[in-house]
Amino acid sequence: MTSGRAETTVTDQEPDQEPEQKPGGTRLIGGPGLLLVWLYGVMVVGAVSRSVYQIATEFDRAPLAYSLSAIAGVVYGFITYTLVRGGETARRAALVCCAAELAGVLTVGTWTLVDPSAFPDATVWSDYGMGYLFIPVLLPLTALYWLRKARPA
């Protein structure tokens, strides 16, 4: 039988302090990491909304370009998720994904310059992301630098 009183738990933590990180946990969205999350979030919205519209309305015009834009959106979404999640496993996953993103940007960017007829319409990564102010090529470079810097000692 209970006394009817609510049980309370006393902690030594001040109310306005952030909770302690778990051992081995790496906070990835502090400082410049927060800007990376924001930029990747913008790229998710841009790439996914563009590709969904294009796939739904004019897929037969440039299926490769629109499919690559959709893949780019998924990659951006995964990187955003891993940056927000934090921790060493998420940091490693983001590193791998950013390296794959950079390889994709460089491959598609070069391909669009060498054989423009293969892409009747632009992708997010066309011409190294020129339609997105070169953010698609600069973002993975910046993220790779940040993620390597955020590596635990």
Side-chain angles (χ1 to χ4, degrees):
M1 209 178 230
T2 62
S3 64
R5 293 187 329 205
E7 291 184 32
T8 58
T9 306
V10 178
T11 63
D12 294 334
Q13 186 176 352
E14 296 292 323
D16 57 343
Q17 285 182 332
E18 288 193 30
E20 288 183 30
Q21 286 279 323
K22 292 183 263 179
T26 307
R27 184 175 162 101
L28 299 175
I29 59 171
L34 187 59
L35 179 60
L36 282 174
V37 168
W38 187 84
L39 286 172
Y40 269 113
V42 168
M43 293 303 290
V44 168
V45 171
V48 170
S49 61
R50 173 184 179 164
S51 64
V52 165
Y53 173 77
Q54 290 173 324
I55 288 170
T57 61
E58 48 198 30
F59 186 71
D60 55 333
R61 188 170 138 207
L64 178 61
Y66 303 152
S67 297
L68 286 172
S69 288
I71 290 168
V74 170
V75 169
Y76 293 143
F78 182 76
I79 293 170
T80 303
Y81 169 76
T82 57
L83 289 173
V84 170
R85 188 171 190 311
E88 184 57 19
T89 302
R91 189 189 70 78
R92 287 184 189 154
L95 266 171
V96 169
C97 214
C98 286
E101 173 196 359
L102 182 59
V105 171
L106 295 176
T107 301
V108 172
T110 303
W111 190 0
T112 57
L113 294 176
V114 172
D115 185 15
S117 64
F119 296 89
D121 205 353
T123 73
V124 174
W125 294 343
S126 293
D127 302 322
Y128 307 108
M130 186 167 63
Y132 285 81
L133 304 173
F134 296 103
I135 292 172
V137 76
L138 297 173
L139 203 53
L141 290 170
T142 307
L144 286 167
Y145 172 76
W146 174 250
L147 290 165
R148 290 186 56 77
K149 186 178 172 202
R151 178 179 41 202

